[in-house]
Amino acid sequence: MTENLQCFAGLYELDNVHGRIERALGAVNLEDRARDLCGSLSKGLRQRVALARALLDDPAVLFLDEPTSGLDPVATREVHELIASLRERGVTIFLTTHRLEEAERLCDRVAILNTTLRMIGRPDELREQLFRRSLDVRLRAPLDDPKAVFGAVSEIEGWEQTPSGYTLTVSDPDLAAPALARALVGAGADILSIAESRHSLEGVYLELIDEDVEAKAR
Amino acid sequence: MSFSWTRVGALLRKELRDYRRNRFVIGTMAAVPVLFITLPMIQLIAANATGKDLSVRIGLSLLYMLVIPVTMPSVVCAYSVVGEREQGTLEPVLTTPIRREEFLIAKALAAFVPTLVIAYAVFGIFLAVAALFAHPVIVSAIYAGTHVLVQFLFMPLLAGWAIWVGIPVSARSTDVRVAQQLSVLGSVPPLVILALMSLNVITESTTLAIGLAAALLAFDLLAWRVVAAMFDRERLVTGRRG
């Protein structure tokens, strides 16, 4: 592993090679395996060596192309932690991935590509652009007259019944939630939870793909 | 960014380390010389010193020596790009600041240096065995003419030819086996001319030898630039078809 990093330090024409290799291996928690042959390492460890290589010249910007592709969950978590620690150290990371939960967990800004650039922004901004804000309501028992209860709250713009309760489209969840709670208590309902609906990045992506499919069909 | 021998050295050291750890390369480097030293030595030791075909026999024996600097780098260079690509070790190297000229010269030197060391060593053994065991007339025939000089001159030139045929073939191939077949095939032409000279089909002359050597030298020097110009780094990194 050390020889491999020495070679790349040479290709980058770096000084203080020994110190840099020590720091890079330390950053990926591989100091104790420094003498292992790269060919004998698992895929997860090889990814960590690849990251160590990339860290040799203390980059300000790092491009990572599917760094967790083909890794088991443990190795994936290790790589995620590594990327998160690099981000905390101020390294700007461009991460290409098909794993949307990975993008959601690690990225400050996300660009979604489907042949062309479809959307770019913070995950919350993407959600807001595609989905109207809503509240998920769980009650011990269904309401006798939901139309009357929800209709009495001006912030609620629409509602639908779901297997676990109700989903309400609202203009502002912070205003709607207290008013809704009062209305439900007034109607004698036992409230289990009221929470703002959270659409995953996967939901955003699938919504975009659906839009593209519909646009092609037109 | 100027040409950097530091980057060349870094890649060259990596290549030589890889050879040491690769059984296929070690096997090739060991098997080829053994094969090409055994036959000519038997032929030479068993030769009749008074036979009229003596010069042809000597020529043939020495021709075997020239096969080593042709076949060894062919096989090694054929693997050098496509093999690394298959292993997934090419992409990290090509994404470093190494220039393509540097990459190619490092690959070429990694094949050239061990080839030349082995070829000269084998030829040295051949000369020593001939001096010890062959008939004195044969020994003086080997040492008296320009045979030794020709061998020392043509070994690096032929190795250069084989390298600059092998590397572009490897860079354009998608399969190691195909690359090796094409590379060995492409390295044969200059050897054919030397074979015809050894068998007295083409009359040997100093002018012809110098002309051939000059042509090979020009090819070796020019080929580096031509291969560098043809070397499509992006295609190799992205894997798109050329």
Side-chain angles (χ1 to χ4, degrees):
Chain A
M1 213 181 285
T2 306
E3 285 177 352
N4 187 286
L5 294 177
Q6 276 171 347
C7 169
F8 281 84
L11 293 174
Y12 284 107
E13 294 188 288
L14 301 175
D15 53 6
N16 185 22
V17 173
H18 186 71
R20 283 174 185 273
I21 289 174
E22 246 178 34
R23 279 202 303 278
L25 286 175
V28 297
N29 296 321
L30 285 176
E31 306 104 310
D32 52 338
R33 317 241 355 214
R35 297 181 69 83
D36 288 14
L37 285 175
C38 286
S40 67
L41 300 176
S42 66
K43 206 168 176 187
L45 288 177
R46 283 189 202 192
Q47 288 289 57
R48 280 158 68 176
V49 176
L51 277 169
R53 277 201 303 260
L55 294 175
L56 277 175
D57 63 342
D58 297 322
V61 181
L62 203 55
F63 286 83
L64 301 177
D65 185 11
E66 301 200 43
T68 56
S69 168
L71 299 188
D72 63 48
V74 176
T76 299
R77 190 182 61 189
E78 286 173 356
V79 172
H80 283 175
E81 285 170 358
L82 239 163
I83 293 171
S85 73
L86 288 173
R87 192 179 66 168
E88 279 164 23
R89 279 166 49 187
V91 179
T92 303
I93 300 168
F94 285 85
L95 175 76
T96 314
T97 183
H98 284 105
R99 295 183 173 189
L100 294 164
E101 79 283 359
E102 183 171 274
E104 186 146 31
R105 183 177 164 186
L106 295 170
C107 300
D108 295 320
R109 297 188 80 215
V110 176
I112 296 178
L113 294 143
N114 185 31
T115 312
T116 56
L117 178 66
R118 295 288 285 108
M119 278 187 114
I120 186 163
R122 303 179 79 85
D124 283 340
E125 290 170 356
L126 302 189
R127 275 189 276 269
E128 279 172 23
Q129 281 179 49
L130 279 181
F131 298 106
R132 300 185 69 183
R133 299 185 82 179
S134 57
L135 291 173
D136 286 329
V137 180
R138 284 178 63 229
L139 304 173
R140 186 175 297 281
L143 294 167
D144 293 334
D145 188 2
K147 194 175 175 182
V149 175
F150 298 141
V153 181
S154 60
E155 289 82 3
I156 296 174
E157 294 170 350
W159 63 276
E160 65 175 14
Q161 192 158 5
T162 62
S164 58
Y166 300 93
T167 298
L168 315 175
T169 309
V170 295
S171 50
D172 183 346
D174 292 342
L175 288 177
L180 174 65
R182 282 192 293 273
L184 287 170
V185 170
D190 293 332
I191 304 168
L192 297 178
S193 68
I194 298 176
E196 187 172 355
S197 308
R198 189 163 174 82
H199 296 281
S200 66
L201 211 51
E202 188 177 349
V204 172
Y205 178 77
L206 292 174
E207 185 72 17
L208 277 175
I209 300 301
D210 285 346
E211 279 182 13
D212 287 351
V213 171
E214 281 171 21
K216 271 185 190 167
R218 279 199 293 269
Chain B
M1 196 167 61
S2 58
F3 190 92
S4 163
W5 284 103
T6 308
R7 289 195 288 266
V8 173
L11 188 57
L12 177 60
R13 281 191 294 278
K14 173 196 163 286
E15 291 291 313
L16 296 177
R17 264 199 308 270
D18 286 351
Y19 289 170
R20 224 173 48 221
R21 292 191 183 124
N22 191 326
R23 283 182 197 164
F24 166 75
V25 176
I26 297 278
T28 306
M29 286 186 175
V32 171
V34 169
L35 186 72
F36 287 102
I37 198 173
T38 310
L39 287 171
M41 285 200 306
I42 292 169
Q43 197 174 33
L44 215 62
I45 292 165
N48 181 356
T50 56
K52 59 181 179 181
D53 60 344
L54 183 63
S55 68
V56 173
R57 272 177 182 274
I58 291 170
L60 265 177
S61 299
L62 291 172
L63 188 64
Y64 277 107
M65 300 292 113
L66 292 177
V67 176
I68 296 170
V70 169
T71 45
M72 267 183 53
S74 294
V75 177
V76 171
C77 287
Y79 179 87
S80 65
V81 181
V82 68
E84 280 219 49
R85 203 172 160 195
E86 282 183 3
Q87 294 274 315
T89 50
L90 183 68
E91 189 184 332
V93 172
L94 291 182
T95 49
T96 66
I98 193 167
R99 290 174 50 169
R100 50 190 175 181
E101 289 87 356
E102 294 161 356
F103 175 84
L104 291 170
I105 209 81
K107 288 278 181 189
L109 283 174
F112 187 77
V113 173
T115 296
L116 215 59
V117 168
I118 291 171
Y120 280 155
V122 167
F123 186 51
I125 293 168
F126 172 83
L127 290 177
V129 170
L132 289 172
F133 301 109
H135 194 280
V137 175
I138 296 172
V139 178
S140 65
I142 292 172
Y143 282 91
T146 54
H147 292 306
V148 175
L149 187 67
V150 165
Q151 291 284 318
F152 273 97
L153 183 67
F154 275 93
M155 276 179 177
L157 294 172
L158 285 171
W161 171 284
I163 286 165
W164 292 122
V165 168
I167 291 178
V169 165
S170 184
R172 301 293 298 179
S173 298
T174 51
D175 185 280
V176 177
R177 290 161 298 183
V178 175
Q180 279 168 350
Q181 286 166 11
L182 290 175
S183 178
V184 170
L185 201 67
S187 63
V188 167
L191 208 57
V192 171
I193 299 171
L194 289 169
L196 294 174
M197 284 165 69
S198 302
L199 297 169
N200 291 333
V201 177
I202 298 174
T203 312
E204 279 184 73
S205 73
T206 312
T207 317
L208 182 63
I210 290 171
L212 188 57
L216 279 172
L217 183 64
F219 172 84
D220 290 346
L221 294 175
L222 202 67
W224 172 41
R225 294 286 178 188
V226 173
V227 174
M230 288 164 51
F231 191 78
D232 190 347
R233 185 187 193 119
E234 196 177 322
R235 184 184 65 83
L236 291 168
V237 172
T238 59
R240 72 176 161 76
R241 289 183 175 276

